[in-house]
Amino acid sequence: MTEDRAAALAAIAEQVRVCTLCRLHENATNGVPGAGSPNAEIMFIGEGPGYHEDKQGLPFVGRSGEYLNYLLNLIGLKREQVFIANVVKHRPPENRDPLPDEILACKPYLDRQVEIINPLVIATLGRFSMARYFPNGKITQIHGKPRFEGDRAYIPLFHPAAVLRNPDLRRDMEADFKRILEVLEQLRQKRAAQPTASPPPEDEPPQQPTQLKLF
Ligand code: URA
């Protein structure tokens, strides 16, 4: 199972490496598909690679990444335990905002990563990943507030770079991170309580739909 997921993620990374679906590859050094555990319970989704990410082919390895590491450490997690991805996989020139057609072109890669990893928590970092799950959300109003859907929660967070620019946001950001753990624990229990669908034994005849007894 882990190998299947790892292989599926590696296949996406290879597609990203040679991707020419939008203009962003033209000025990029490396694609940055994402990194982390194929079995991550938490997936973080940022915006797009910056200078250092482009050079190394890894997400969040610059100053924002250092702060993200600090936040993960605060809640007892290491990067290797989570999965970190971005809405666009190549660096926008001069770190400009990704354009709608670039986000759209890259969407199938991110959709597939989410499908493969099937995380309990998806935490968005910044407005572009927030827009995927909270199209009309205002970050100042909804940061740290999970939306539960089935056995998954979506949690919008500030972008680490925004917090570095505005240290007044640090307290909120750190409180929001601590909230991730509470939400995760709730979801673990919920997923564990779900009956796992197993196929009927081979020699058992197919079940006829049973009529509900009313009396
Ligand atoms: N900012 C992002 O949104 N993603 C990165 O990978 C790095 C910085």
Side-chain angles (χ1 to χ4, degrees), residues 30-32 47-51 53-54 86 88-92 95:
N30 287 297
V32 182
E47 183 174 315
Y51 175 85
E53 290 77 21
D54 174 67
N86 281 305
V88 294
K89 314 291 194 195
H90 283 104
R91 182 191 181 203
N95 294 348

Side-chain angles (χ1 to χ4, degrees), residues 53-83:
E53 290 77 21
D54 174 67
K55 288 278 169 272
Q56 297 184 39
L58 292 169
F60 282 96
V61 287
R63 277 193 70 223
S64 296
E66 272 173 36
Y67 183 47
L68 183 58
N69 290 347
Y70 166 86
L71 291 162
L72 288 170
N73 188 44
L74 198 66
I75 58 171
L77 290 175
K78 296 203 179 344
R79 283 173 78 104
E80 302 75 52
Q81 294 173 275
V82 302
F83 195 89

Side-chain angles (χ1 to χ4, degrees), residues 86-161:
N86 281 305
V87 288
V88 294
K89 314 291 194 195
H90 283 104
R91 182 191 181 203
E94 313 301 326
N95 294 348
R96 67 157 167 74
D97 288 346
L99 300 173
D101 68 317
E102 295 161 353
I103 295 173
L104 198 63
C106 226
K107 186 174 178 294
Y109 298 130
L110 184 55
D111 288 348
R112 184 86 183 102
Q113 288 173 318
V114 170
E115 189 184 316
I116 293 164
I117 297 165
N118 190 19
L120 288 169
V121 173
I122 293 184
T124 64
L125 299 169
R127 63 199 158 108
F128 292 97
S129 53
M130 182 178 75
R132 241 178 96 91
Y133 301 107
F134 301 87
N136 300 311
K138 290 213 172 11
I139 189 68
T140 47
Q141 288 166 9
I142 67 168
H143 69 88
K145 294 187 181 148
R147 190 183 74 232
F148 290 87
E149 260 175 45
D151 61 4
R152 178 175 295 160
Y154 300 90
I155 308 183
L157 301 173
F158 292 113
H159 194 285

